């Protein structure tokens, strides 16, 4: 078969799935935002939309990256059962992750921009960004590192799902979701603030690269010799 | 044409017999095209190779002949030839079996012949009775 | 050398040999029936032939080229199997719509026939917007059949395509299969437990028993040389002496035995012996059922 056919179908299938997941992620983030915005507590006197935006920015980068990536890797058996090459599927999956992350980053950036424009200096997002502003570059690095860690971890979750079906992956998910959730909700803004101070500029990206690489190797080894079970 | 196949006998032979019977009964006429192997395969849910085996057997016996690019046709005189062959097979297929069964239950050939005559007489009576009404 | 060939295929799962040194040549343009009892290794063999399962040892080639990670060969082979959505081992497929599933198949099979897929979907009265998880077993079988036929792959392997179908749909499936086969000359391998209607469809039958190929033979030839001999015990034993026999059963003074004649062999004529032809199903039970039983066996379905 001609190579460009393989390329076309990979771009079409994996690109589309990444986009679909991202759209689902954006809507889920909005739901989270509304949920936390309506919750009685610290945000009671603030505007709902403001809180929604804040959570969308934070959650969008955390929980959703992870869940989305695991969801995408669940597609592997389907394409393999239709005669996709194993290498082709591996790189297709990475491409899909890339598309998905770009979407999530873009929507976060867009929403942050909208929030700052709408209520400069007052909204939660603006306040957060205000705190981050001096260390903008460092924050981006930290954010990227965090994304890589989450992508890597969720890729591992996806591989577990592929290998052990539900049992192994379920345990992984429960622990993983709990850790992320705690980190997000309890540390939340504080974590980002900590990053902004520049304390962990290199640790996060380095850890991200390591985790992602490990997950890539694990996936490669699994996909290379796994039995396809749809 | 859609008789059903049994599993007790080679399918290609059953295909042969069915085509022959269709020719005898005038369902297929001489110089007429017979269904192709794919058509037979589809209507009886059998492998086309099996259908082809049956068709080829009949072609080998001169009952069917091939028109290049069109298909298989019933040969002229096919009906007569099938009748001839079935008559000559009658002894093997029916008479011998009949006598063997008769022997195993202790009937001698004379008794069998008597039974055949009786049956004929009975049939005649029935026929006469019907026409008499 | 247009053939799908496997040589010396062995597959071990957790210390258990599921396939043992299997050699098989599948030629272009034939319909093969793959039969064997549960656990004989049918699905494993089909998944290895389609490179969806790595063999522990041995090789699979198509036209002389390795199939594993060979995009040309993979595009020529379609392995259509049951879609598991309910119960144990269900995956994310349950939430997927029929249309989406077929769309992915269309993207991946290089010779996909979209027109045919649409026609079959209509004929089977499948709703493309329905989720796979909400389909009945029979409807899932139909989706599998649509993928198999529309893939237009040169070698199409169907694992239990008729398992969930009623008699009418089973016959419909075999008609569709024969129609497609007649038009395209593609090769099909169909595994099934329901042998009555299938035996006339298979040009060749491949019988797997405990991980080995017990026989691979033209179906008609096989049935022609198989028969069931029964009668008084001593007479039967004398008649079948030196012949390949299977599945002997004795009840009182009566003995029945299945014989597979080799070329040139015949059962001696004897009016006191009954020699009956066999169906594929009877033969299957004779070859794969348990040997030497004193009582007649229960009607067992492989």
């Amino acid at each position: 078969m001609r190579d460009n056919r393989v390329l076309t179908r990979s771009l079409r299938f994996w690109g589309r799935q990444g986009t679909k997941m991202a759209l689902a992620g954006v809507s889920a983030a909005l739901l989270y935002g509304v949920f936390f915005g309506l919750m009685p507590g610290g945000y009671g006197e603030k505007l709902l939309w403001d809180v929604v935006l804040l959570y969308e920015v934070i959650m969008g980068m955390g929980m959703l990256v992870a869940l989305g990536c695991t969801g995408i890797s669940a597609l592997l058996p389907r394409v393999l059962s239709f005669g996709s090459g194993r290498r082709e599927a591996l790189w297709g999956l990475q491409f899909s992750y890339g598309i998905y992350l770009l979407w999530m980053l873009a929507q976060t950036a867009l929403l942050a921009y909208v929030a700052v424009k709408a209520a400069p200096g007052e909204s939660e997002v603006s306040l957060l960004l205000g705190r981050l502003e001096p260390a903008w570059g460092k924050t981006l690095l930290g954010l990227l590192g965090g994304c890589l860690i989450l992508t890597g971890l969720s890729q591992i979750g996806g591989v577990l799902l592929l290998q052990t079906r539900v049992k192994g992956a379920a345990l992984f998910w429960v622990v993983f979701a709990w850790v992320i959730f705690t980190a997000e909700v309890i540390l939340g803004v504080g974590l980002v603030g900590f990053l902004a101070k520049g304390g962990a500029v290199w640790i996060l990206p380095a850890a991200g690269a390591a985790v992602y690489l490990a997950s890539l190797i694990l996936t490669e080894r699994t996909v290379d010799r796994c039995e396809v079970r749809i | 044409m859609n008789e059903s196949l049994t599993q007790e006998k080679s399918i290609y032979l059953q295909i042969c017999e069915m085509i022959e019977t269709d020719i005898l009964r005038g369902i297929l006429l001489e110089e007429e095209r017979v269904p192709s192997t794919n058509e037979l395969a589809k209507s009886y849910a059998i492998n086309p190779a099996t259908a082809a085996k049956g068709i080829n057997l009949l072609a080998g016996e001169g009952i069917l002949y091939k028109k290049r690019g069109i298909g298989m046709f019933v040969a002229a005189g096919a009906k007569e030839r099938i009748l001839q062959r079935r008559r000559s097979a009658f002894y093997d297929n029916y008479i011998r079996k009949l006598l063997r069964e008769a022997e195993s239950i202790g009937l001698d050939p004379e008794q069998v012949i008597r039974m055949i005559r009786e049956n004929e007489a009975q049939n005649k009576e029935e026929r006469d009775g019907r026409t008499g009404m | 050398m247009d053939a799908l060939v496997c040589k010396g295929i062995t597959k071990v799962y957790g210390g258990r040999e599921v396939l043992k040194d299997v050699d098989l040549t599948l030629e272009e343009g034939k319909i093969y029936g793959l039969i064997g009892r549960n656990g004989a290794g049918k699905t494993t063999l089909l998944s290895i032939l389609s490179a969806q399962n790595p063999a522990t040892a041995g090789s699979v080639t198509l036209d002389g080229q390795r199939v594993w990670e060979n995009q040309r060969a993979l595009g020529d082979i379609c392995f259509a199997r049951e879609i598991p959505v309910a119960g144990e081992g269900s995956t994310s497929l349950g939430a997927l719509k029929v249309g989406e599933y077929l769309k992915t198949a269309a993207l991946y099979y290089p010779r996909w026939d979209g027109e045919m897929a649409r026609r079959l979907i209509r004929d089977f009265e499948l709703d493309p917007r329905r989720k796979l998880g909400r389909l009945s077993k029979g409807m899932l079988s139909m989706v599998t059949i649509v993928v198999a036929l529309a893939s237009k792959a040169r070698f199409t392997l169907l694992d239990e395509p008729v398992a969930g179908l009623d008699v009418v749909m089973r016959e419909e499936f075999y008609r569709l299969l024969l129609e497609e086969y007649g038009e395209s000359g593609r090769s099909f391998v169909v595994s099934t437990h329901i042998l009555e209607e299938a035996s006339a469809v298979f040009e060749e039958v491949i019988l797997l028993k405990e991980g080995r190929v017990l026989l691979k033979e033209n179906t008609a030839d096989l049935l022609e040389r198989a028969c069931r001999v029964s009668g008084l015990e001593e007479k039967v034993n004398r008649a079948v002496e030196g012949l390949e026999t299977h599945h002997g059963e004795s009840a009182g003074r009566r003995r029945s035995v299945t014989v597979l004649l080799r070329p040139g062999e015949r059962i001696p004529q004897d009016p006191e012996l009954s020699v009956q032809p066999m169906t594929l199903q009877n033969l299957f039970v004779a070859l794969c059922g348990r040997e030497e039983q004193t009582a007649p066996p229960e009607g067992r379905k492989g």
Side-chain angles (χ1 to χ4, degrees), chain B residues 46-128:
Chain B
I46 58 173
N47 194 290
T50 315
K53 200 172 167 188
I55 295 265
N56 289 337
L57 193 67
L58 289 176
E61 289 169 354
I63 287 165
L64 303 181
Y65 71 96
K66 190 175 192 168
K67 273 191 191 168
R68 217 162 262 293
I70 310 176
M72 301 300 275
F73 285 72
V74 180
K79 192 168 174 177
E80 193 48 42
R81 204 167 308 152
I82 294 165
L83 273 177
Q84 286 295 336
R85 197 158 42 77
R86 289 221 175 161
R87 279 177 191 147
S88 61
F90 183 74
Y91 175 74
D92 277 342
N93 289 349
Y94 297 94
I95 301 297
R96 272 167 66 137
K97 258 190 217 160
L98 181 81
L99 291 178
R100 200 184 302 149
E101 171 69 8
E103 196 190 338
S104 75
I105 56 174
L107 287 172
D108 61 35
E110 274 311 312
Q111 282 169 296
V112 176
I113 291 169
R114 211 177 306 136
M115 283 160 100
I116 293 173
R117 292 228 168 88
E118 268 167 31
N119 179 59
E120 183 52 29
Q122 230 170 38
N123 280 354
K124 194 165 180 268
E125 229 167 77
E126 265 173 38
R127 271 202 303 274
D128 291 347

Side-chain angles (χ1 to χ4, degrees), chain C residues 40-71:
Chain C
K42 301 186 295 294
T43 305
T44 308
L45 179 62
L46 293 179
S47 67
I48 288 175
L49 280 171
S50 55
Q52 299 199 5
N53 193 356
T56 311
S59 68
V60 182
T61 55
L62 177 62
D63 306 342
Q65 297 200 310
R66 275 186 73 102
V67 171
W68 191 265
E69 279 300 80
N70 176 352
Q71 212 44 256

